[in-house]
Amino acid sequence: MVKQLVPSFTGSEVEGAVAVVTGAGVGLGRSEALALSAAGAKVVVNDIGDAADAVAAEINAAGGEAIGVAGDIGDWDFATGLVQTAIDTYGDLNVLVNNAGVLRDRMIFGVSADEWDTVIRVHLRGHAATCKAATAYWREKSKAADGAPQWARVINTASEAFLFGSPGQPNYSAAKAGIAALTLSVAHGAGRYGVRANAIAPRARTAMTEATFPPAPEGDEVDPWAIEHIAPVVVWLGTRGADHVNGNLFVVYGGKVGVIKAPSLDRSFGAAGETWTVDELASSVGAYLGDGERHTFAVGNDLKL
């Protein structure tokens, strides 16, 4: 039998907070919603179909407070309404966890327009729509309080796929790159109102990634790819104590956290004359890149935690 990993919370880490978790009907999102509830938050659970209500019922049965809101997070109006539902139901919003996503895996030469648009719509548009609604609310609330910073947290879900360009996932990789950039933009643009925006790149076995990881170990060995390893990081990022944490990307798995720095300039070159010649570019930039392997824009599997 696989050992069940149960994160421990005191029930006060996010006491009094109101949280929205998208894609929370199963897997990682469900784990995050349950953890936020266990840590003291009221939770608005979003997913498609009946899954959202099922998780909300599970939270309520355990003594927490939650409602389920079914709907398509890629629909801009629905996403805006989801944020408003949290405010109308519980009187506030403090933590927004964007988790919802889909896969339409294809090589770039085989991807269809619909497969491209579906993934970008659910991942990137879904993240952007809730971020827009939440930050607009926090901005107005801060202004009404004479500029006082709010307890306002955004935790987005990126992926290392955007770093190393997963070959069979050009749509997913592009969406996750967009989410990383969106997170930085939110962190920089809304930080003055107390908003702290960060992203996680989870390494966890879910329905979307089950083919990526080996089977779960049997017996007393802890599964390093269990989704439960991710939830404590999400809870921490939602706390008031994480007020100094903003604009970061964290790789999370198996009780480990890696902090990925923003891209930095590797080296610059200048033309000898007023502008470049092709031969000069080949002998300077081209020579520096060599076979290209050492300088590819990637961390990917080279990131050892």
Side-chain angles (χ1 to χ4, degrees):
M1 179 179 292
V2 178
K3 181 177 182 179
Q4 296 299 310
L5 179 63
V6 181
S8 177
F9 302 100
T10 66
S12 61
E13 288 88 351
V14 288
E15 184 67 42
V18 177
V20 169
V21 186
T22 72
V26 295
L28 187 58
R30 172 182 172 274
S31 176
E32 292 165 344
L34 293 175
L36 284 163
S37 175
K42 302 176 180 68
V43 185
V44 176
V45 181
N46 161 253
D47 213 314
I48 57 176
D50 298 331
D53 285 335
V55 174
E58 185 178 356
I59 289 172
N60 290 323
E65 292 186 62
I67 60 168
V69 182
D72 175 11
I73 202 64
D75 182 313
W76 196 277
D77 291 339
F78 170 78
T80 300
L82 177 66
V83 168
Q84 191 60 48
T85 296
I87 298 164
D88 291 344
T89 304
Y90 294 121
D92 204 355
L93 174 66
N94 307 102
V95 183
L96 169 62
V97 182
N98 281 308
N99 173 74
V102 296
L103 292 178
R104 297 291 187 271
D105 290 354
R106 290 285 189 273
M107 299 295 285
I108 186 59
F109 41 77
V111 70
S112 70
D114 182 68
E115 289 166 341
W116 179 271
D117 290 345
T118 296
V119 171
I120 297 297
R121 179 179 181 277
V122 175
H123 285 273
L124 185 53
R125 181 183 172 95
H127 275 62
T130 54
C131 282
K132 188 268 183 183
T135 54
Y137 167 72
W138 289 322
R139 177 175 178 267
E140 290 305 310
K141 191 177 180 187
S142 176
K143 289 169 64 177
D146 296 323
Q150 302 301 299
W151 180 7
R153 304 289 184 262
V154 175
I155 300 104
N156 288 332
T157 306
S159 168
E160 291 173 272
F162 95 88
L163 286 168
F164 59 85
S166 184
Q169 297 178 309
N171 44 10
Y172 179 79
S173 298
K176 292 306 188 182
I179 288 169
L182 170 67
T183 303
L184 288 175
S185 183
V186 172
H188 295 157
R192 73 188 74 176
Y193 310 115
V195 179
R196 299 295 180 260
N198 296 280
I200 60 171
R203 294 179 180 177
R205 186 187 294 102
T206 68
M208 290 175 59
T209 63
E210 59 185 355
T212 304
F213 300 107
E218 298 290 332
D220 293 333
E221 185 179 352
V222 173
D223 181 4
W225 313 115
I227 56 177
E228 288 78 13
H229 291 294
I230 314 300
V233 178
V234 171
V235 171
W236 167 64
L237 290 172
T239 64
R240 291 181 182 272
D243 193 61
H244 62 295
V245 184
N246 196 31
N248 296 281
L249 173 61
F250 302 98
V251 177
V252 186
Y253 87 103
K256 300 180 184 295
V257 174
V259 180
I260 294 183
K261 294 182 178 179
S264 60
L265 182 67
D266 191 20
R267 184 170 172 179
S268 62
F269 301 83
E274 292 182 350
T275 189
W276 289 102
T277 68
V278 172
D279 287 343
E280 188 181 8
L281 285 165
S283 64
S284 57
V285 183
Y288 174 69
L289 294 175
D291 60 12
E293 290 297 321
R294 187 169 63 90
H295 302 281
T296 50
F297 176 66
V299 174
N301 292 329
D302 292 334
L303 179 63
K304 304 299 184 184
L305 300 180

